[in-house]
């Protein structure tokens, strides 16, 4: 399995930015039930504007997170760039008959989510000077958390489909799963975990451009319960960085998966909805 992911800074601290970038880049491998082994650094850096010590800290954060994951960074490439960018090209392995894709979901499957939402509004709020320090610290902790444990539990128990929640938000990535699997889906908004301050920042206008585009894209694909406020609807489409895994699992395995996730220390295990027979890709969001 091979994947690549690179993005611009979402936090001010270069060390944490590096660690978050690596956790995010590895997530695609984990979502497929694979084990990442090797990686190449990919970096852009404005050498005439920032001291090279900043780049060193970015790479140090990335190296420490890769070491935690058991991944060897074996080289890479850096270019002069007006804006910092960092990420990895990752190579992993998985048995070809055990790859977890977005296409295996079945009607009746339950949906489990392994990280809270709100990372997009919090990181946008950082850029706007609106996010309080304690919310920044919690968002960094969540974004730096590897999806390794969640992936290992998923592989052990067996699920029908999985995706990681990143730039398209929860509803955008769920739409992809539903389309690929030929099913509809239902989400219970009240069951979806949200980071502290997420609603407040959404009300304050800390909405990323990606989130706004997600929300617009989903307008003819999602039916919302009339009781849901605009902030909740936006947060369900919030563009995440290094978000959790969304797994579709049969009802007879959901308790076993829940227990396996908790046993491995996964802090968030939320049953947020289910897949249904119905028009492929159609999503209903209830309270």
């Amino acid at each position: 399995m091979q994947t690549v992911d690179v993005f611009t800074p979402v936090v001010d601290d270069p060390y944490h930015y590096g660690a978050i970038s690596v956790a995010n880049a590895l997530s695609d491998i984990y979502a497929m039930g694979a084990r990442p082994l090797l990686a190449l650094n990919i970096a852009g850096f404005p050498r005439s504007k920032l001291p090279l010590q900043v780049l060193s800290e970015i790479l140090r954060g990335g190296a420490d997170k890769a070491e935690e994951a058991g991944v060897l960074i074996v080289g890479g490439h850096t270019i002069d760039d007006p804006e910092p960018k960092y990420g990895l090209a990752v190579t992993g392995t998985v048995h070809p008959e055990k790859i977890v894709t977005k296409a295996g979901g079945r009607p009746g499957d339950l949906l489990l989510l392994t990280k809270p939402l709100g990372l997009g509004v919090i990181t946008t709020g950082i850029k706007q000077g609106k996010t309080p320090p304690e919310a920044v610290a919690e968002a960094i902790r969540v974004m730096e958390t590897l999806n390794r444990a969640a992936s290992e539990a998923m592989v052990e128990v067996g699920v029908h489909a999985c995706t990681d929640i990143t730039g398209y938000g929860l509803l955008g990535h769920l739409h992809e799963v539903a389309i690929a699997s030929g099913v509809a889906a239902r989400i219970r908004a009240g069951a979806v975990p949200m980071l502290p301050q997420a609603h407040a920042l959404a009300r304050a206008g800390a909405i990323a451009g990606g989130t706004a585009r997600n929300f617009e894209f989903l307008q003819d694909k999602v039916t919302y319960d009339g009781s849901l406020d605009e902030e909740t609807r936006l947060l369900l489409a919030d563009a995440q960085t290094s978000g959790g895994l969304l797994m579709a699992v049969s009802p007879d395995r959901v308790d076993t998966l829940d227990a396996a996730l908790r046993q491995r220390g996964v802090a968030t295990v939320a049953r947020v909805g289910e897949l249904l027979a119905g028009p492929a890709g159609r999503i209903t969001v209830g309270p």
Side-chain angles (χ1 to χ4, degrees):
M1 311 296 288
Q2 290 186 305
T3 186
V4 61
D5 206 305
V6 179
F7 60 85
T8 56
V10 292
V11 296
D12 293 329
D13 184 279
Y15 177 88
H16 288 301
Y17 164 50
I20 292 166
S21 297
V22 166
N24 182 75
L26 297 177
S27 191
D28 284 333
I29 296 290
Y30 289 134
M32 294 183 283
R35 177 189 173 197
L37 298 175
L38 305 172
L40 296 171
N41 279 327
I42 301 174
F45 192 75
R47 61 182 180 179
S48 63
K49 298 179 181 178
L50 293 174
L52 284 177
Q53 179 62 27
V54 173
L55 177 59
S56 296
E57 282 296 288
I58 293 170
L59 297 179
R60 186 172 72 87
D64 285 350
K65 187 56 59 174
E67 182 178 9
E68 178 187 337
V71 171
L72 293 176
I73 296 180
V74 294
H77 189 68
T78 303
I79 62 170
D80 191 12
D81 195 306
E83 185 174 17
K85 297 176 180 69
Y86 177 57
L88 296 182
V90 187
T91 300
T93 59
V94 64
H95 192 287
E97 296 179 3
K98 296 182 179 180
I99 299 171
V100 182
T101 72
K102 300 173 185 177
R106 304 173 188 175
D109 282 352
L110 301 180
L111 298 170
L112 265 64
L113 179 64
T114 65
K115 286 187 183 182
L117 302 186
L119 294 165
V121 295
I122 287 175
T123 55
T124 301
I126 292 172
K127 297 173 184 177
Q128 297 177 355
K130 297 175 179 177
T131 304
E134 63 274 14
V136 175
E138 177 62 8
I140 288 173
R141 184 194 68 78
V142 170
M143 289 187 288
E144 287 186 353
T145 299
L146 294 169
N147 282 323
R148 177 180 182 175
S151 178
E152 289 174 350
M154 172 181 80
V155 170
E156 176 189 299
V157 174
V159 303
H160 290 152
C162 181
T163 182
D164 60 328
I165 306 302
T166 51
Y168 294 149
L170 173 64
L171 293 182
H173 286 287
L174 175 58
H175 175 69
E176 290 184 323
V177 170
I179 284 285
S181 300
V183 298
R186 178 167 55 220
I187 289 290
R188 296 185 301 278
V192 178
M194 301 284 181
L195 284 165
Q197 297 295 320
H199 274 89
L201 286 164
R203 284 193 298 273
I207 306 299
T211 297
R213 290 188 292 273
N214 292 342
F215 188 69
E216 180 63 28
F217 171 78
L218 292 163
Q219 286 307 295
D220 62 349
K221 301 167 181 65
V222 180
T223 301
Y224 300 93
D225 186 274
S227 66
L228 299 176
D229 58 38
E230 184 178 4
E231 289 80 25
T232 297
R233 300 182 190 204
L234 283 165
L235 287 168
L236 293 173
D238 190 40
Q240 306 296 281
T241 297
S242 192
L245 299 185
L246 180 69
M247 308 171 188
V249 61
S250 62
D252 62 330
R253 294 189 179 186
V254 68
D255 289 338
T256 304
L257 178 58
D258 189 304
L261 290 164
R262 296 181 191 278
Q263 184 178 27
R264 285 172 169 79
V266 178
T268 298
V269 183
R271 303 184 188 189
V272 299
E274 51 273 326
L275 300 181
L276 310 166
R282 190 72 202 173
I283 302 173
T284 302
V285 181

